Amino acid sequence: MKTIVLYAVDSTNTFLKEYIRQRDVSLPMCVAALRQTAGKGRYTREWSSPPGGLYMSIAENLTHKNIPAIAYPLCMAVAVHRWLKKTYKISDMFIKWPNDVYINMKKICGILSTVQTCGERSVIITGIGINVRNEVPDNGTSLVLLLPERSFNLHTMLQALVREIENTDDTMESVRAYITNYLWGKDQIRKLTIHGQETRGIIRGIADDFSLLLEDEHTGTITKHSLGEME
Ligand code: BTN
């Protein structure tokens, strides 16, 4: 896919959104940057983006893979997880619903999807931030912290990850099965916060529509959740 690499940008998500709005480009396409000055995280949080991290966004037509919007960050999380596992032989790596890749209790990759309408078409822009050799916050980890003896070439990594994303022949069912296999917190009691409201439950898996299945620890009732953040 067409890939643009920038030295610095406010946010690859914002740049790509504007780039597509102004041109009739064919999708998918990718924008990456060596650093971001206003990286965006979920819920209007900042995504700290100093040099040394992998910051990229991919735009696709929403109908491209015939999957619901909620599944996009999860499909990307599967591609990132699979690629990291294959390339760096990392174990204890999990997909944290709805959009992160974790190594045990530490975040290595955050993913953020936004949908935008450009004239007749709906485009989904999915940003991926991977901690490589950048400084990370306390709740994060990076490839260099895990594999201090290895060196990391961001351009090679970008090309390899784009190839992984392009070549995936995942179906909804295979993505769901993959996530279920590597689901962070599976069968554990966890807290889910939705608009400030907390729900506790045992994480049981992912439903057909990619919502999270939580079991009430007292009654055994299973409920579906399509929004929220897990702790
Ligand atoms: C999160 O975990 O809150 C999502 C973080 C997403 C960060 C990536 S870095 C590349 C792209 N550009 C942005 O501004 N954000 C995403």
PDB file of all heavy atoms in Angstrom, residues 7 39 53 88 107 136 200:
ATOM      1  N   TYR A   7       9.013  13.054   8.975  1.00  0.00           N
ATOM      2  CA  TYR A   7       9.991  13.236  10.050  1.00  0.00           C
ATOM      3  C   TYR A   7       9.249  13.537  11.363  1.00  0.00           C
ATOM      4  O   TYR A   7       9.499  12.924  12.382  1.00  0.00           O
ATOM      5  CB  TYR A   7      10.935  14.381   9.663  1.00  0.00           C
ATOM      6  CG  TYR A   7      11.982  14.640  10.681  1.00  0.00           C
ATOM      7  CD1 TYR A   7      13.030  13.738  10.893  1.00  0.00           C
ATOM      8  CD2 TYR A   7      11.926  15.793  11.468  1.00  0.00           C
ATOM      9  CE1 TYR A   7      13.982  13.979  11.864  1.00  0.00           C
ATOM     10  CE2 TYR A   7      12.883  16.038  12.430  1.00  0.00           C
ATOM     11  CZ  TYR A   7      13.906  15.130  12.619  1.00  0.00           C
ATOM     12  OH  TYR A   7      14.847  15.365  13.583  1.00  0.00           O
ATOM     13  N   GLY A  39       0.299  13.475  19.601  1.00  0.00           N
ATOM     14  CA  GLY A  39      -0.233  12.120  19.416  1.00  0.00           C
ATOM     15  C   GLY A  39      -1.519  11.937  20.210  1.00  0.00           C
ATOM     16  O   GLY A  39      -1.618  12.404  21.346  1.00  0.00           O
ATOM     17  N   GLY A  53       9.778   5.491  18.791  1.00  0.00           N
ATOM     18  CA  GLY A  53       8.567   4.659  18.750  1.00  0.00           C
ATOM     19  C   GLY A  53       8.101   4.494  17.314  1.00  0.00           C
ATOM     20  O   GLY A  53       8.533   5.231  16.420  1.00  0.00           O
ATOM     21  N   TYR A  88       9.680 -11.365  17.093  1.00  0.00           N
ATOM     22  CA  TYR A  88      10.515 -11.202  18.292  1.00  0.00           C
ATOM     23  C   TYR A  88      10.339 -12.329  19.304  1.00  0.00           C
ATOM     24  O   TYR A  88      10.922 -12.283  20.378  1.00  0.00           O
ATOM     25  CB  TYR A  88      10.223  -9.838  18.932  1.00  0.00           C
ATOM     26  CG  TYR A  88      10.488  -8.704  17.970  1.00  0.00           C
ATOM     27  CD1 TYR A  88       9.447  -7.989  17.382  1.00  0.00           C
ATOM     28  CD2 TYR A  88      11.795  -8.381  17.601  1.00  0.00           C
ATOM     29  CE1 TYR A  88       9.687  -6.981  16.468  1.00  0.00           C
ATOM     30  CE2 TYR A  88      12.047  -7.371  16.687  1.00  0.00           C
ATOM     31  CZ  TYR A  88      10.995  -6.678  16.128  1.00  0.00           C
ATOM     32  OH  TYR A  88      11.238  -5.684  15.214  1.00  0.00           O
ATOM     33  N   LYS A 107       1.611  -2.117  28.819  1.00  0.00           N
ATOM     34  CA  LYS A 107       1.151  -1.862  27.442  1.00  0.00           C
ATOM     35  C   LYS A 107       2.346  -1.659  26.508  1.00  0.00           C
ATOM     36  O   LYS A 107       3.234  -0.872  26.792  1.00  0.00           O
ATOM     37  CB  LYS A 107       0.291  -0.599  27.483  1.00  0.00           C
ATOM     38  CG  LYS A 107      -0.302  -0.169  26.167  1.00  0.00           C
ATOM     39  CD  LYS A 107      -1.536   0.670  26.477  1.00  0.00           C
ATOM     40  CE  LYS A 107      -1.960   1.574  25.364  1.00  0.00           C
ATOM     41  NZ  LYS A 107      -3.269   2.185  25.626  1.00  0.00           N
ATOM     42  N   VAL A 136       8.990   5.189  27.889  1.00  0.00           N
ATOM     43  CA  VAL A 136       7.586   4.795  28.080  1.00  0.00           C
ATOM     44  C   VAL A 136       7.082   5.201  29.463  1.00  0.00           C
ATOM     45  O   VAL A 136       7.870   5.292  30.401  1.00  0.00           O
ATOM     46  CB  VAL A 136       7.390   3.259  27.895  1.00  0.00           C
ATOM     47  CG1 VAL A 136       7.589   2.850  26.465  1.00  0.00           C
ATOM     48  CG2 VAL A 136       8.279   2.456  28.822  1.00  0.00           C
ATOM     49  N   ARG A 200     -17.900  -4.961  37.493  1.00  0.00           N
ATOM     50  CA  ARG A 200     -16.915  -6.026  37.713  1.00  0.00           C
ATOM     51  C   ARG A 200     -17.437  -7.314  37.132  1.00  0.00           C
ATOM     52  O   ARG A 200     -18.642  -7.534  37.100  1.00  0.00           O
ATOM     53  CB  ARG A 200     -16.710  -6.237  39.223  1.00  0.00           C
ATOM     54  CG  ARG A 200     -15.552  -5.497  39.823  1.00  0.00           C
ATOM     55  CD  ARG A 200     -15.716  -5.507  41.319  1.00  0.00           C
ATOM     56  NE  ARG A 200     -15.616  -6.883  41.854  1.00  0.00           N
ATOM     57  CZ  ARG A 200     -14.479  -7.409  42.285  1.00  0.00           C
ATOM     58  NH1 ARG A 200     -13.376  -6.710  42.249  1.00  0.00           N
ATOM     59  NH2 ARG A 200     -14.442  -8.637  42.772  1.00  0.00           N
TER      60      ARG A 200
END
